[in-house]
Amino acid sequence: MPLVNLGFEHRFLPPRGDAPARPPLLLLHGTGGNESDLLPLGEALAPGAALLSPRGKVLENGMPRFFRRLAEGVFDVQDVEARAHELADFVLAAQDAYALGAKPIAVGFSNGANIAAAMLLLRPEVLGGAVLFRPMVPLEPARSPDLEGLGVFLGAARRDPIVPPFETERLKGMLERAGAKVELRWVNAGHGLTPADVENAKAWIG
Ligand code: MLT
């Protein structure tokens, strides 16, 4: 399918096969990744689903990210906010351009999980749910969003050197207080994704 200019470099894979209609996945890579990285993950999580995968516009030493940070784990909150809105606008434009029937489920890893969490907190109406691998709290919104009934899967790791367990629990609490139905699954691993993460998230997506 020819790519449409929607303001982000991206890849779009239309839905395939006769698998039952699945919601599209919005794939959000980690620091240093790109729009091709998570396509295999998307296919593993929801075979045949449409896949929409943008590349983060911020460069940190040449590595694409979805927002600026001042140091590891210290975010430029104004930039997080602006970029979350920009990405949410991209999602709306893509939904129209590619005639996506349903709102996408965001699937983000690390920095991609953090921008997805920021979208949940600032623009929840653009997403149909979220799978967040190794997320942190990206910002404290001025008012709590309405996430009533929205499904969110959190994939955390006990030996993650970047995301301490209390950070995961803090995000879970914020999402639950806003009404989201959160499933938190821990794996015995570090920051990188493991096959157990993929299995857990695939079972959650169903
Ligand atoms: C972030 O900057 O979003 C987090 O520290 C995760 C990372 O990208 O390393």
Side-chain angles (χ1 to χ4, degrees):
M1 171 167 297
L3 273 188
V4 190
N5 180 1
L6 301 173
F8 276 78
E9 292 290 332
H10 67 279
R11 291 189 60 186
F12 175 69
L13 268 50
R16 281 184 306 98
D18 50 10
R22 291 176 165 281
L25 301 187
L26 170 69
L27 304 173
L28 301 166
H29 63 76
T31 302
N34 64 38
E35 65 276 29
S36 298
D37 273 12
L38 298 190
L39 295 174
L41 173 66
E43 177 60 21
L45 290 178
L51 303 178
L52 176 65
S53 186
R55 187 197 309 167
K57 288 188 184 183
V58 171
L59 286 181
E60 183 184 277
N61 302 321
M63 295 186 294
R65 290 174 49 84
F66 286 96
F67 57 81
R68 266 169 38 84
R69 64 179 163 182
L70 309 174
E72 189 163 285
V74 185
F75 304 148
D76 175 339
V77 175
Q78 269 191 342
D79 194 60
V80 177
E81 282 183 15
R83 304 276 176 189
H85 283 293
E86 186 184 36
L87 190 60
D89 291 341
F90 161 81
V91 171
L92 291 180
Q95 222 179 339
D96 211 31
Y98 297 122
L100 302 178
K103 294 179 188 182
I105 296 178
V107 175
F109 167 65
S110 190
N111 180 247
N114 294 340
I115 194 73
M119 279 199 291
L120 283 176
L121 296 171
L122 297 174
R123 294 283 294 278
E125 70 282 359
V126 307
L127 298 175
V131 172
L132 309 179
F133 293 115
R134 314 292 186 265
M136 302 172 74
V137 173
L139 54 88
E140 305 260 2
R143 43 193 160 82
S144 183
D146 179 4
L147 300 177
E148 202 51 53
L150 199 78
V152 180
F153 173 93
L154 303 181
R158 291 195 183 86
R159 290 182 283 106
D160 190 330
I162 297 178
V163 187
F166 74 82
E167 183 77 10
T168 308
E169 297 289 353
R170 193 156 79 94
L171 180 63
K172 180 171 183 270
M174 280 171 84
L175 297 171
E176 283 180 337
R177 279 192 299 280
K181 285 186 353 211
V182 182
E183 177 161 330
L184 168 58
R185 297 292 301 267
W186 291 92
V187 293
N188 210 0
H191 196 65
L193 267 191
T194 67
D197 287 298
V198 180
E199 257 171 56
N200 293 340
K202 185 176 167 125
W204 179 83
I205 287 177

